């Protein structure tokens, strides 16, 4: 009874929408490859995204996640998606998880301008060798620089977007990399 009084079961509280399953990394732990093998690489049409958001009409999600297995910043319409969800007051929090390689690009800057609430960058390593082993791409130092530039940009335009990084625990990640 306590849950029924506190939590509405009329409409979902959290919605995950994957703008694309395309990715510019090849993380060995990601299930993306299996999906791409069976379904191909896909980009969500902006019109379809708007239809999904319109179905929220009259409800407000706690969180709208704009990611799953793909790198959402590859989708050139991502800023429009964020802006549309923001305009429709679709969620209290609009969130994106990213590998961060494109956070300082035009698309990355525009989602900050559109006031995405939260960006989590999965760096998953503190050393280049570990980063390459996990992600199958090079460029940890460049990634760190791009994150700093994105934070500087956010501060310069006085956006409220929260940008944070995370390192997940894997057997290949040394304990001192996490600490």
């Amino acid at each position: 009874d306590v849950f029924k009084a506190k939590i509405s079961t009329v409409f979902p509280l959290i919605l995950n929408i994957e703008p694309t399953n395309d990715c510019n990394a090849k993380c060995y732990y990601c299930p993306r490859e299996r999906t791409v093998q069976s379904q191909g690489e896909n980009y969500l049409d902006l019109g379809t995204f708007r239809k999904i958001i319109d179905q929220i009409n009259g409800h407000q999600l706690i969180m709208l996640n704009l990611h799953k297995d793909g790198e959402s910043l590859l989708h050139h319409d991502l800023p429009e998606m964020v802006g549309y969800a923001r305009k429709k007051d679709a969620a209290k929090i609009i969130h994106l998880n990213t590998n961060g390689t494109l956070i300082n690009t035009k698309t990355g800057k525009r989602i900050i301008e559109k006031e995405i609430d939260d960006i989590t960058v999965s760096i998953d390593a503190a050393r280049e060798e570990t980063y390459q082993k996990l992600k199958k791409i090079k460029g940890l130092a460049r990634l760190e620089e791009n994150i700093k530039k994105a934070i500087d940009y956010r501060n310069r335009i006085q956006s409220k977007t929260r940008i944070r990084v995370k390192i997940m625990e894997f057997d290949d990640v040394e304990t001192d990399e996490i600490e």
Side-chain angles (χ1 to χ4, degrees), residues 34 40 46-47 49 52 77 86 90 99 136 138 154 162:
R34 280 176 267 154
L46 184 57
F49 177 83
I52 294 168
D77 288 334
R86 172 73 53 230
N99 65 30
K136 308 294 186 221
K138 295 180 181 179
R154 178 214 47 204
R162 180 177 177 187

mmCIF file of all heavy atoms in Angstrom, residues 34 40 46-47 49 52 77 86 90 99 136 138 154 162:
data_model
loop_
_atom_site.group_PDB
_atom_site.id
_atom_site.type_symbol
_atom_site.label_atom_id
_atom_site.label_comp_id
_atom_site.label_asym_id
_atom_site.label_seq_id
_atom_site.Cartn_x
_atom_site.Cartn_y
_atom_site.Cartn_z
ATOM 1 N N ARG A 34 26.068 -7.695 -31.028
ATOM 2 C CA ARG A 34 25.031 -8.702 -31.267
ATOM 3 C C ARG A 34 23.767 -8.062 -31.849
ATOM 4 O O ARG A 34 23.141 -8.617 -32.742
ATOM 5 C CB ARG A 34 24.708 -9.460 -29.980
ATOM 6 C CG ARG A 34 25.744 -10.538 -29.696
ATOM 7 C CD ARG A 34 25.489 -11.209 -28.391
ATOM 8 N NE ARG A 34 26.320 -10.432 -27.450
ATOM 9 C CZ ARG A 34 26.094 -10.296 -26.174
ATOM 10 N NH1 ARG A 34 25.084 -10.875 -25.611
ATOM 11 N NH2 ARG A 34 26.897 -9.594 -25.424
ATOM 12 N N GLY A 40 21.219 -4.544 -37.767
ATOM 13 C CA GLY A 40 21.924 -3.513 -38.511
ATOM 14 C C GLY A 40 22.075 -2.245 -37.685
ATOM 15 O O GLY A 40 21.541 -2.147 -36.584
ATOM 16 N N LEU A 46 13.757 11.638 -36.425
ATOM 17 C CA LEU A 46 13.310 12.721 -35.553
ATOM 18 C C LEU A 46 11.787 12.734 -35.418
ATOM 19 O O LEU A 46 11.257 12.964 -34.320
ATOM 20 C CB LEU A 46 13.825 14.072 -36.054
ATOM 21 C CG LEU A 46 13.507 15.294 -35.195
ATOM 22 C CD1 LEU A 46 14.030 15.147 -33.765
ATOM 23 C CD2 LEU A 46 14.092 16.548 -35.846
ATOM 24 N N GLY A 47 11.074 12.464 -36.479
ATOM 25 C CA GLY A 47 9.610 12.412 -36.419
ATOM 26 C C GLY A 47 9.113 11.318 -35.496
ATOM 27 O O GLY A 47 8.157 11.520 -34.727
ATOM 28 N N PHE A 49 10.810 10.094 -32.964
ATOM 29 C CA PHE A 49 11.138 10.563 -31.617
ATOM 30 C C PHE A 49 10.048 11.516 -31.110
ATOM 31 O O PHE A 49 9.585 11.382 -29.970
ATOM 32 C CB PHE A 49 12.500 11.267 -31.604
ATOM 33 C CG PHE A 49 12.855 11.834 -30.261
ATOM 34 C CD1 PHE A 49 13.426 11.026 -29.285
ATOM 35 C CD2 PHE A 49 12.602 13.163 -29.953
ATOM 36 C CE1 PHE A 49 13.740 11.541 -28.035
ATOM 37 C CE2 PHE A 49 12.915 13.691 -28.702
ATOM 38 C CZ PHE A 49 13.486 12.871 -27.749
ATOM 39 N N ILE A 52 6.960 9.678 -30.015
ATOM 40 C CA ILE A 52 7.146 9.032 -28.707
ATOM 41 C C ILE A 52 6.972 10.063 -27.593
ATOM 42 O O ILE A 52 6.248 9.827 -26.620
ATOM 43 C CB ILE A 52 8.529 8.347 -28.620
ATOM 44 C CG1 ILE A 52 8.620 7.181 -29.612
ATOM 45 C CG2 ILE A 52 8.815 7.883 -27.191
ATOM 46 C CD1 ILE A 52 10.030 6.644 -29.809
ATOM 47 N N ASP A 77 20.675 14.735 -35.105
ATOM 48 C CA ASP A 77 19.418 15.307 -34.609
ATOM 49 C C ASP A 77 19.301 15.268 -33.085
ATOM 50 O O ASP A 77 18.277 15.679 -32.540
ATOM 51 C CB ASP A 77 18.204 14.569 -35.213
ATOM 52 C CG ASP A 77 18.000 14.899 -36.680
ATOM 53 O OD1 ASP A 77 18.422 15.988 -37.118
ATOM 54 O OD2 ASP A 77 17.412 14.055 -37.391
ATOM 55 N N ARG A 86 12.634 18.815 -23.929
ATOM 56 C CA ARG A 86 12.657 19.923 -22.963
ATOM 57 C C ARG A 86 11.410 20.796 -23.157
ATOM 58 O O ARG A 86 10.726 21.145 -22.200
ATOM 59 C CB ARG A 86 13.940 20.739 -23.155
ATOM 60 C CG ARG A 86 14.030 22.009 -22.384
ATOM 61 C CD ARG A 86 14.266 21.887 -20.892
ATOM 62 N NE ARG A 86 15.400 21.084 -20.563
ATOM 63 C CZ ARG A 86 15.372 20.083 -19.660
ATOM 64 N NH1 ARG A 86 14.275 19.787 -19.016
ATOM 65 N NH2 ARG A 86 16.437 19.380 -19.402
ATOM 66 N N ALA A 90 8.906 16.745 -20.941
ATOM 67 C CA ALA A 90 8.703 15.296 -20.927
ATOM 68 C C ALA A 90 9.258 14.619 -19.683
ATOM 69 O O ALA A 90 8.746 13.582 -19.277
ATOM 70 C CB ALA A 90 9.338 14.673 -22.174
ATOM 71 N N ASN A 99 30.433 7.787 -24.520
ATOM 72 C CA ASN A 99 31.848 7.459 -24.370
ATOM 73 C C ASN A 99 32.689 8.736 -24.372
ATOM 74 O O ASN A 99 33.879 8.702 -24.112
ATOM 75 C CB ASN A 99 32.332 6.451 -25.430
ATOM 76 C CG ASN A 99 32.280 6.975 -26.848
ATOM 77 O OD1 ASN A 99 32.423 8.161 -27.126
ATOM 78 N ND2 ASN A 99 32.078 6.064 -27.793
ATOM 79 N N LYS A 136 38.969 -0.362 -27.379
ATOM 80 C CA LYS A 136 39.498 -0.697 -28.710
ATOM 81 C C LYS A 136 39.705 0.552 -29.575
ATOM 82 O O LYS A 136 39.631 0.508 -30.797
ATOM 83 C CB LYS A 136 38.600 -1.698 -29.454
ATOM 84 C CG LYS A 136 38.270 -2.944 -28.671
ATOM 85 C CD LYS A 136 39.502 -3.786 -28.434
ATOM 86 C CE LYS A 136 39.113 -5.100 -27.774
ATOM 87 N NZ LYS A 136 40.002 -5.526 -26.737
ATOM 88 N N LYS A 138 42.069 4.557 -29.382
ATOM 89 C CA LYS A 138 43.112 5.315 -28.693
ATOM 90 C C LYS A 138 42.566 6.695 -28.323
ATOM 91 O O LYS A 138 41.579 7.144 -28.889
ATOM 92 C CB LYS A 138 44.329 5.488 -29.609
ATOM 93 C CG LYS A 138 45.016 4.202 -29.956
ATOM 94 C CD LYS A 138 46.193 4.452 -30.862
ATOM 95 C CE LYS A 138 46.856 3.124 -31.220
ATOM 96 N NZ LYS A 138 47.996 3.318 -32.110
ATOM 97 N N ARG A 154 30.319 24.720 -21.158
ATOM 98 C CA ARG A 154 29.116 24.753 -20.320
ATOM 99 C C ARG A 154 29.160 25.944 -19.357
ATOM 100 O O ARG A 154 28.186 26.682 -19.215
ATOM 101 C CB ARG A 154 29.008 23.456 -19.524
ATOM 102 C CG ARG A 154 27.797 23.439 -18.598
ATOM 103 C CD ARG A 154 27.960 22.713 -17.314
ATOM 104 N NE ARG A 154 29.160 23.009 -16.579
ATOM 105 C CZ ARG A 154 29.703 22.181 -15.707
ATOM 106 N NH1 ARG A 154 29.167 20.995 -15.478
ATOM 107 N NH2 ARG A 154 30.784 22.515 -15.048
ATOM 108 N N ARG A 162 24.856 19.062 -16.018
ATOM 109 C CA ARG A 162 25.821 18.396 -15.145
ATOM 110 C C ARG A 162 26.635 17.435 -16.013
ATOM 111 O O ARG A 162 26.068 16.613 -16.733
ATOM 112 C CB ARG A 162 25.067 17.635 -14.064
ATOM 113 C CG ARG A 162 25.944 16.913 -13.100
ATOM 114 C CD ARG A 162 25.075 16.261 -12.041
ATOM 115 N NE ARG A 162 25.918 15.501 -11.143
ATOM 116 C CZ ARG A 162 25.467 14.711 -10.208
ATOM 117 N NH1 ARG A 162 24.171 14.564 -10.042
ATOM 118 N NH2 ARG A 162 26.283 14.052 -9.435
#
